Amino acid sequence: MKTSNLIPNGRTSRIKKGETSLQVQTEYAYRPYPRLTTTVLNDGQVLHKIEKKLDRPIESVEEQSEIERMIKRQHSDVVSIIEENAAGKPTTLQALKSSSSGYLTLTDRLKAIPGVQRTYDLDNEGNFLEQSEADQFKKAYAALFKGIRDLIEIFAAIPGISMTREKGVLEIERDRLYLVSCGDEICVVTIRPTADNIAYEAAIKKAVDDYFAEG
């Protein structure tokens, strides 16, 4: 099938910010290079663009479905950050991950588990998504910070249109520290156990499964 025939469905939303009505569009394009682009417009004027480059154009129906899921997540994340900022909250990466539109990110689901203190988010190469998180993690877990790039290799890389890894959960320290792969991102989950006697590895795995079932 020709690349030009494999075009995933895009997404469009309208958001009211006071007297302003913003339009958010997320779509795939393969020329001049394959990418996902989310554009924020006000009365047709482009205010901001968020672009994710892909390794290659879509080559199969299966990859088209994968990209449609990526479009949904990228679009929902951008809508979330606009809505959070409209409510007077700071525009940060963490705000981007908290949706007020009903879209539950993996971080949302993990933090809903009783006893979960926080998550540290990384890309699939072991780079922290926020420098402040990298600094905090290095201070609290110096040895783990040093070896994190090697540790994430336990989740095998999956050939495809973008860099993904096997999904899974690795127990680093029982009921205290877990490494989680959701395919396109990695996160470290820190826990302070509650009196609820929770099986944390199972609860984290369920959060990952639910995230993909909804996506």
Side-chain angles (χ1 to χ4, degrees), residues 15 24 26 38 40 50 73-83 96:
I15 305 169
V24 183
T26 304
T38 299
V40 182
I50 300 93
R73 289 177 184 139
Q74 179 168 312
H75 186 83
S76 296
D77 284 349
V78 173
V79 168
S80 294
I81 196 171
I82 293 172
E83 292 180 338
L96 178 65

Side-chain angles (χ1 to χ4, degrees), residues 5 12 32 50 60 66 75 78 81 84 98-99 105 107 115 130 145 149 151 154 179 187 200 207:
N5 294 331
T12 301
I50 300 93
S60 68
E66 176 188 346
H75 186 83
V78 173
I81 196 171
E84 291 286 339
S98 277
S99 168
T105 66
T107 299
E130 284 192 347
F145 178 87
R149 291 175 184 270
L151 190 60
I154 194 170
L179 186 68
C187 69
Y200 282 103

Side-chain angles (χ1 to χ4, degrees), residues 61-77:
V61 174
E62 291 75 18
E63 288 185 352
Q64 180 178 341
S65 296
E66 176 188 346
I67 293 302
E68 285 182 347
R69 290 193 293 270
M70 292 172 65
I71 286 173
K72 177 182 177 182
R73 289 177 184 139
Q74 179 168 312
H75 186 83
S76 296
D77 284 349

Side-chain angles (χ1 to χ4, degrees), residues 176-190:
R176 296 288 181 181
L177 203 59
Y178 293 85
L179 186 68
V180 182
S181 171
C182 68
D184 52 10
E185 282 188 22
I186 300 287
C187 69
V188 179
V189 181
T190 65

Side-chain angles (χ1 to χ4, degrees), residues 137-190:
F137 190 82
K138 183 177 182 180
K139 183 177 181 180
Y141 307 100
L144 183 57
F145 178 87
K146 186 176 181 180
I148 195 71
R149 291 175 184 270
D150 293 330
L151 190 60
I152 65 175
E153 292 298 326
I154 194 170
F155 303 114
I158 299 174
I161 197 165
S162 61
M163 173 60 169
T164 59
R165 291 188 181 276
E166 290 180 336
K167 298 188 295 292
V169 179
L170 173 66
E171 179 186 283
I172 300 173
E173 183 179 346
R174 185 175 179 82
D175 294 343
R176 296 288 181 181
L177 203 59
Y178 293 85
L179 186 68
V180 182
S181 171
C182 68
D184 52 10
E185 282 188 22
I186 300 287
C187 69
V188 179
V189 181
T190 65

Side-chain angles (χ1 to χ4, degrees), residues 43-121:
D43 291 330
Q45 179 181 359
V46 176
L47 300 180
H48 196 56
K49 280 192 175 184
I50 300 93
E51 184 176 280
K52 178 181 178 64
K53 293 183 180 180
L54 304 174
D55 292 338
R56 64 171 189 273
I58 297 173
E59 297 178 351
S60 68
V61 174
E62 291 75 18
E63 288 185 352
Q64 180 178 341
S65 296
E66 176 188 346
I67 293 302
E68 285 182 347
R69 290 193 293 270
M70 292 172 65
I71 286 173
K72 177 182 177 182
R73 289 177 184 139
Q74 179 168 312
H75 186 83
S76 296
D77 284 349
V78 173
V79 168
S80 294
I81 196 171
I82 293 172
E83 292 180 338
E84 291 286 339
N85 195 41
K89 298 181 180 180
T91 305
T92 64
L93 181 62
Q94 197 57 43
L96 178 65
K97 294 177 181 177
S98 277
S99 168
S100 57
S101 61
Y103 171 79
L104 291 178
T105 66
L106 180 59
T107 299
D108 294 329
R109 296 177 187 278
L110 292 171
K111 288 184 175 179
I113 300 171
V116 169
Q117 288 184 293
R118 66 170 303 165
T119 62
Y120 295 89
D121 302 303

